[in-house]
Amino acid sequence: MFIATVIVWLLVAMGLAATVLPFSRIAHGAIRSMEFPRLQIIAVLLALIPVGLLVLSGPGRVAALVLIGISLAVQIANVARFTPVWHSQSVQADAELAADKQAQVSVLAANVKMSNRDYGKLVELIRTEQPDIFIGLETDAPWAESLRDVAGDFLHRIERPQDNGYGMIVYSRLPMRDIEVRNMVVDGVPSVRAIAETRSGLAFRLYAIHPEPPVPNHDSEGRDAEIAVVGMEAKNDTLPSLVVGDINDVAWSATTRRFQRLSGLLDPRVGRGFYNTFDARYWAFRWPLDHLFHDPEFRLVDIRRGPFIGSDHFPMLFTLALTPHAAAHDTPDHSDPEEQAEAQEMIHKERRKDRDPIGSDWEDG
């Protein structure tokens, strides 16, 4: 019974630490990655309640249950926004817009996992879905070659294959101009910025990004800085923006909330569901890493998680309709000057560093 008591208290302490520490301002992967498994932590805490009742007794039982209850309440409060009980942030398109293909933009975004060589699944998905814009992440030269089977169906093709896990491909059936491929913060971590147009001729800004992941032995400021750069650019852009990609962050994290404050962009997951995309191979260990954020002038037509394509990520499919001067019924809080100054300082600091991208050797061999 002593060993069981120690195990219960150890799990209670770990749950409390994983709940409290992410609220700190420490930009380190060991802390920031604690935000990822909130759903799994909730499951463990719920399982601890009957175990605690069975194993513990007296004041210790009461104390443990109180701490479990506090941790549970905080964890649930963080993820509740991404369930249907919450009001949605993105406005659903009405029937007229949902039928208006001229105003719509469909996007298929897929982190292919560079070492995955099951090219056919993704090629078939592209042929089936016929997206207006396809964004492929972790694409190396063999992936770029395999996707040429469908590349000819697209008007514009932007290819930056790399063998470090940060390759990127963007195909578009829609007209595009002012296309830029940039290393915004860290050399070797490209992103795409372009102006695209709907079939009805309405222009919007597209950002395709794939910042570094948080890891326990490194700070997360490279990732955080890249996300912040895009957020501030989108806020100051004269065009409505779409930001799409594997941002290596969960929808409920402090970094993503800051991005929304900096950008003013909306998350279609709010009020609709988690749409967990990683890890596609293990159903019990999944969280939402692949995102689309959009300007309030877009209305949501559809959001879906795609099928397994051999990667550790599920692809995501989004369809939106651009409606000029439309307003949202729920928008993120505004960023204050202090937060903007802190973000700028972090960006400048990261750009001065001379280092390889995190995880650039993970797929070797």
Side-chain angles (χ1 to χ4, degrees), residues 226-352:
E226 181 162 344
I227 295 170
V229 169
V230 174
M232 289 188 286
E233 285 189 359
K235 182 68 173 180
N236 295 321
D237 207 311
T238 57
L239 294 173
S241 296
L242 289 181
V243 176
V244 190
D246 167 13
I247 69 170
N248 276 311
D249 199 11
V250 285
W252 47 72
S253 76
T255 306
T256 299
R257 291 198 303 272
R258 178 176 61 193
F259 164 79
Q260 286 200 269
R261 290 193 299 271
L262 289 170
S263 67
L265 301 182
L266 310 182
D267 184 349
R269 283 187 167 100
V270 174
R272 290 185 172 85
F274 299 117
Y275 297 93
N276 296 326
T277 56
F278 178 92
D279 191 311
R281 301 164 297 182
Y282 311 108
W283 68 268
F285 299 98
R286 289 180 183 166
W287 36 76
L289 289 192
D290 300 86
H291 304 266
L292 178 145
F293 299 94
H294 66 88
D295 189 276
E297 291 190 20
F298 286 94
R299 293 291 188 255
L300 182 68
V301 177
D302 187 35
I303 174 174
R304 285 181 290 136
R305 191 180 72 181
F308 181 69
I309 58 170
S311 172
D312 51 357
H313 289 248
F314 287 107
M316 283 296 296
L317 299 114
F318 307 89
T319 304
L320 302 102
L322 183 52
T323 57
H325 313 302
H329 54 62
D330 179 31
T331 57
D333 295 333
H334 294 293
S335 177
D336 59 41
E338 181 181 358
E339 183 173 60
Q340 295 165 23
E342 289 176 353
Q344 289 283 12
E345 182 179 352
M346 175 177 61
I347 293 164
H348 294 322
K349 173 185 169 185
E350 286 302 304
R351 283 174 170 167
R352 288 194 297 267

Side-chain angles (χ1 to χ4, degrees), residues 7-152:
I7 292 173
V8 168
W9 272 108
L10 181 62
L11 290 173
V12 169
M14 290 172 63
L16 186 63
T19 300
V20 173
L21 287 175
F23 288 99
S24 72
R25 298 172 65 86
I26 302 171
H28 198 280
I31 304 298
R32 299 273 64 90
S33 58
M34 290 182 184
E35 297 179 293
F36 285 39
R38 289 198 186 276
L39 300 176
Q40 289 75 18
I41 292 170
I42 289 171
V44 171
L45 291 171
L46 286 172
L48 268 181
I49 294 175
V51 174
L53 288 170
L54 180 66
V55 172
L56 305 176
S57 61
R61 174 194 283 177
V62 175
L65 291 176
V66 168
L67 293 176
I68 291 171
I70 291 171
S71 298
L72 259 178
V74 174
Q75 294 286 358
I76 291 172
N78 271 271
V79 302
R81 296 173 63 243
F82 302 93
T83 67
V85 303
W86 205 268
H87 56 274
S88 59
Q89 194 170 78
S90 301
V91 179
Q92 191 72 35
D94 58 25
E96 183 179 352
L97 269 179
D100 184 5
K101 301 298 184 183
Q102 299 301 305
Q104 291 179 16
V105 180
S106 60
V107 181
L108 168 59
N111 181 322
V112 303
K113 185 172 176 59
M114 191 176 75
S115 59
N116 168 30
R117 297 309 180 195
D118 195 353
Y119 308 120
K121 284 187 172 69
L122 181 57
V123 169
E124 183 60 30
L125 182 64
I126 294 171
R127 285 177 172 154
T128 300
E129 296 294 337
Q130 295 286 302
D132 294 323
I133 296 172
F134 164 70
I135 297 171
L137 307 173
E138 288 197 28
T139 43
D140 59 1
W143 267 104
E145 182 63 32
S146 72
L147 290 172
R148 295 213 169 97
D149 288 344
V150 292

Side-chain angles (χ1 to χ4, degrees), residues 206-223:
L206 174 70
Y207 296 88
I209 64 172
H210 181 207
E212 300 169 292
V215 291
N217 61 341
H218 200 284
D219 68 69
S220 64
E221 290 191 338
R223 178 201 69 174

